[in-house]
């Protein structure tokens, strides 16, 4: 047996600002321990304007990869050697893999949502009609992945026109889904043929937990699956109100766990211990 000591851990982490409250470290470190890997996940504050130096640091420290969060998901694109086709469509990267000093960019947000939808809610997106509340980064990632997975129609609601119309134009020109935009001004009545309703806004995110998206809640039907992307708290007012009407729901914790699990596999090459990651996150978030 080789007795040569190895004190060098493999490093991954997240660059963001603010970043102190990002709980990803908890689930990734739990996964490393479970899988007996000498890897560390670092939560690193990188201010806007310092990303170029941080990406150079990633290379110099020979880190195995990095997650990007606010405000770096779009700004990171010029520092990468390769970008996945889905991430290119979204114009945003949340996971970088360092393969022999070649930096590959991927976006696992939408993929995480999709896996949560398939594996936790048992819904195959193919042929489904989707209503999406919001047109920000999360909405964009989810909408692109739903389109690539064969969803047939999507209605995007947004309170401001620019981001909503941009997303719809992207979907209609670059994917096979039929997309339309609705300016979100009043309570929205969800069409009866909607299969999947997604709240991809930040309405209900901690600490503003006593607000919910403006929809006509009586228009929700038990043929629908209603999803929230907000991981904290996972039991948002939106999902509570929906459950009271006997309609199936999917919380944002699953999306967070699966996007991390996909990143874990991209970095380590190993299947992630999903249940361990979810339990660690639930404990950290006090669920
Ligand atoms: P963005 O800032 O890019 O987008 C926010 C979206 O919410 C926009 O569409 C914005 O509309 C809309 N919005 C915000 N406040 C209101 C309001 N009061 N009324 C109507 N619309 C509103 O944020 P992200 O897309 O990055 O994040 C959105 C949510 O997704 C957050 O809660 C975040 O926690 C969650 N998320 C969850 C992940 C997970 O793994 N579970 C991963 C990534 C994000 P407008 O364009 O008009 O400003």
């Amino acid at each position: 047996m080789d007795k040569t000591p190895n004190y060098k851990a493999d490093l991954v982490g997240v660059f963001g600002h603010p970043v102190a409250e990002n709980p990803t470290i908890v689930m990734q470190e739990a996964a490393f321990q479970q899988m007996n890997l000498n890897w560390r996940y670092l939560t690193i504050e990188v201010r806007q304007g310092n990303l170029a130096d941080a990406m150079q640091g990633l290379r110099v420290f020979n880190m195995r990869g990095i997650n990007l969060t606010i405000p770096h998901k779009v700004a990171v694109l010029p520092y990468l050697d390769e970008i996945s086709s889905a991430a290119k469509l979204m114009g945003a990267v949340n996971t970088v893999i360092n393969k022999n000093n070649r930096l590959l960019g991927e976006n696992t947000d939408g993929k995480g949502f999709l896996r949560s939808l398939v594996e936790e809610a048992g819904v195959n997106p193919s042929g489904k009609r989707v209503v999406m509340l919001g047109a920000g980064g999360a909405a964009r990632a989810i909408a692109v992945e739903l389109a690539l997975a064969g969803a047939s129609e999507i209605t995007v609601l947004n309170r401001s026109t620019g981001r909503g119309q941009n997303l719809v134009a992207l979907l209609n020109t670059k994917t096979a889904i039929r997309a339309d935009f609705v300016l979100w001004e009043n309570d929205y009545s969800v069409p009866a043929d909607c299969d999947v309703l997604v709240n991809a806004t930040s309405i209900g995110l901690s600490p503003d937990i006593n607000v919910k998206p403006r929809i006509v809640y009586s228009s929700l039907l038990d043929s629908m699956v209603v999803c929230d992307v907000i991981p904290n708290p996972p039991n948002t007012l939106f999902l509570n109100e929906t459950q009271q009407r006997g309609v199936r729901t999917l919380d944002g914790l699953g999306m967070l766990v699966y996007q991390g699990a996909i990143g874990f596999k991209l970095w380590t090459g190993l299947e992630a211990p999903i249940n361990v990651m979810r339990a660690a996150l639930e404990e950290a978030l006090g669920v």
Side-chain angles (χ1 to χ4, degrees), residues 210-265:
N210 292 319
V211 287
K212 58 180 194 254
R214 293 184 58 190
I215 62 164
V216 178
Y217 284 83
S218 59
S219 67
L220 297 177
L221 301 175
D222 59 12
S223 53
M224 303 173 182
V225 176
V226 175
C227 316
D228 207 330
V229 299
I230 289 176
N232 186 22
N235 54 337
T236 54
L237 202 56
F238 177 56
L239 295 187
N240 269 328
E241 179 94 27
T242 303
Q243 283 156 7
Q244 278 167 25
R245 291 167 190 276
V247 178
R248 277 188 302 160
T249 60
L250 183 67
D251 70 39
L253 208 54
M255 173 178 169
L256 187 60
V257 170
Y258 279 108
Q259 65 79 27
I262 295 165
F264 179 95
K265 180 156 192 201

Side-chain angles (χ1 to χ4, degrees), residues 64-65 92 175 181 280:
R64 301 291 295 266
T175 77
F181 171 66

Side-chain angles (χ1 to χ4, degrees), residues 118-141:
V118 172
E119 290 180 29
E120 297 182 314
V123 174
N124 176 352
S126 178
K128 295 291 187 296
R129 163 123 206 239
V130 180
V131 172
M132 175 82 66
L133 308 176
R140 208 173 160 88

Side-chain angles (χ1 to χ4, degrees), residues 70 73 109 133-140 157-161 163-164 184 199-203 205 228-232 252-257 259:
I70 291 170
K73 287 186 186 182
D109 281 338
L133 308 176
R140 208 173 160 88
L157 276 78
N158 207 45
R159 69 175 169 186
S160 62
T161 310
R163 285 217 269 189
W184 195 10
N199 173 37
T201 72
S202 42
I203 302 169
L205 181 67
D228 207 330
V229 299
I230 289 176
N232 186 22
L253 208 54
M255 173 178 169
L256 187 60
V257 170
Q259 65 79 27

Side-chain angles (χ1 to χ4, degrees), residues 13 17 40-41 47 66 74 86 94 96 101 107 110-111 122 148 153 169 180-181 202 206 209 215 243 264 267 281 283:
H17 182 246
R40 300 286 181 281
Y41 190 97
R47 287 172 189 256
I66 200 78
V74 177
N94 77 338
V96 173
N101 207 32
N107 196 316
K111 290 179 170 53
L148 296 178
E153 271 179 73
D180 67 315
F181 171 66
S202 42
S206 175
I209 61 171
I215 62 164
Q243 283 156 7
F264 179 95
W267 290 330
L281 257 186
E283 194 187 336

